[in-house]
Amino acid sequence: MTNDQYQTASVEIHQQGDGMGCNLLTGKLVRLTAFNPETDAAIVARWSRDTEYHRLGDNDPAYPRSTKMAREWLERDNDHVFGFAVRTLGDDRLIGDIGLWIENWAQAEGWVGIGLGERDYWGNGYGTDAMRLMLHFAFDELNLWRVTLGVYAYNPRAIRSYEKAGFRCEGLVRSDCRRDGQRWDSVFMGILREEWLGREP
């Protein structure tokens, strides 16, 4: 390959968004960043007072956090978790969080969880965009083989979003969660590296 051919190929790769030229933490609607505990703790604490938000992502009792508690949570160190703030591209607004837990590097598997605390951004593609970024990070940066998540059957909007990102339903635990006197299934979904690489652009 001549030098001119090499330069032309490099430009084409960069324009396609592949290789080292792309920002793997920036999507079409959001970007993934570190949290700033000083400015973000009050926002995270406010989210915890929204019991519907809590119940969509957790089966623990809904319990509000103080700003101090939220800041301590944001400042904690965990070698097994890659945690990110989800911020809008337009105005850099903090709208949620997403995390990837690696329990066993030898198995190359991660568990992902996401929550959008700002209701104005529910159902508008922001969560799907953030999840796609996390999968890009998981498979292309961390070289994982599979990513798994759990979701409650009473959250069909989240299930649709995960399917758009490439996840497939793999099984469920029946009547695993109780909300307001009703039992709900826990649904488990997963995506393999080969499925991520074979996705349509």
Side-chain angles (χ1 to χ4, degrees):
M1 178 181 284
T2 67
N3 188 49
D4 287 344
Q5 289 173 324
Y6 174 79
Q7 290 180 347
T8 300
S10 298
V11 169
E12 289 176 352
I13 290 173
H14 180 76
Q15 289 174 341
Q16 292 169 2
D18 298 325
M20 297 296 289
C22 68
N23 186 342
L24 77 163
L25 299 180
T26 300
K28 296 178 180 179
L29 298 173
V30 302
R31 66 189 184 100
L32 306 185
T33 73
F35 278 100
N36 181 341
E38 291 189 11
T39 59
D40 297 341
I43 298 172
V44 173
R46 175 170 54 80
W47 296 344
S48 75
R49 296 192 291 271
D50 183 340
T51 56
E52 183 182 0
Y53 161 74
H54 178 92
R55 285 174 153 206
L56 288 174
D58 203 329
N59 65 359
D60 289 337
Y63 182 77
R65 287 187 178 132
S66 66
T67 299
K68 180 177 181 288
M69 293 167 64
R71 180 168 182 162
E72 290 172 352
W73 178 75
L74 293 176
E75 290 177 337
R76 78 200 187 290
D77 288 325
N78 192 326
D79 294 335
H80 299 289
V81 179
F82 293 89
F84 297 94
V86 179
R87 301 184 190 274
T88 59
L89 286 185
D91 55 8
D92 202 41
R93 182 181 182 186
L94 174 63
I95 62 170
D97 67 291
I98 189 167
L100 184 71
W101 290 259
I102 312 297
E103 293 295 336
N104 188 333
W105 281 104
Q107 300 304 321
E109 179 179 8
W111 284 75
V112 67
I114 184 174
L116 294 188
E118 299 296 334
R119 284 174 171 262
D120 291 346
Y121 296 87
W122 290 5
N124 292 305
Y126 290 86
T128 303
D129 195 41
M131 184 61 77
R132 287 174 176 150
L133 288 175
M134 181 57 92
L135 292 176
H136 184 23
F137 179 79
F139 292 123
D140 296 339
E141 186 72 4
L142 301 184
N143 201 31
L144 296 184
W145 175 248
R146 68 173 286 128
V147 175
T148 307
L149 62 80
V151 59
Y152 300 109
Y154 58 71
N155 194 355
R157 182 176 61 238
I159 293 173
R160 288 193 300 270
S161 174
Y162 301 147
E163 289 174 339
K164 289 178 184 176
F167 284 88
R168 300 182 184 180
C169 181
E170 296 183 330
L172 56 83
V173 177
R174 294 175 298 161
S175 299
D176 185 47
C177 178
R178 182 175 63 86
R179 290 294 188 205
D180 301 324
Q182 185 173 349
R183 304 296 305 195
W184 297 88
D185 298 339
S186 288
V187 180
F188 291 93
M189 306 179 74
I191 180 172
L192 303 179
R193 177 181 174 82
E194 60 190 13
E195 294 167 345
W196 169 257
L197 294 177
R199 74 196 186 285
E200 294 199 8

